[in-house]
């Protein structure tokens, strides 16, 4: 699979989510205190991401 979400623990012991495409990390989230919260972030991105507008601040 070329793309995937990963839940991992950072050095501070918080759970984070990163999205990878072809082994390259495209983005990473803030830290969460529980794995369930990290999974909720993934669910929210999947649900709301396809319809999110693009904001050009250039």
């Amino acid at each position: 699979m070329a793309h995937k979400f990963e839940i991992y623990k950072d050095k501070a012991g918080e759970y984070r989510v990163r999205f990878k495409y072809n082994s390259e990390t495209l983005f990473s989230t803030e830290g969460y205190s529980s794995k369930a919260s990290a999974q909720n972030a993934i669910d929210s991105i999947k649900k709301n991401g396809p319809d999110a507008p693009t904001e050009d601040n250039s």
Side-chain angles (χ1 to χ4, degrees), residues 14-52:
E14 293 184 314
Y15 293 95
R16 292 182 181 267
V17 174
R18 61 181 156 222
F19 182 77
K20 296 181 96 173
Y21 183 76
N22 288 337
S23 300
E24 180 181 347
T25 300
L26 298 182
F27 70 83
S28 182
T29 66
E30 63 184 277
Y32 298 99
S33 59
S34 71
K35 190 182 280 189
S37 294
Q39 183 62 55
N40 287 341
I42 293 171
D43 295 341
S44 177
I45 292 165
K46 287 181 174 181
K47 177 181 175 186
N48 300 306
D51 296 325

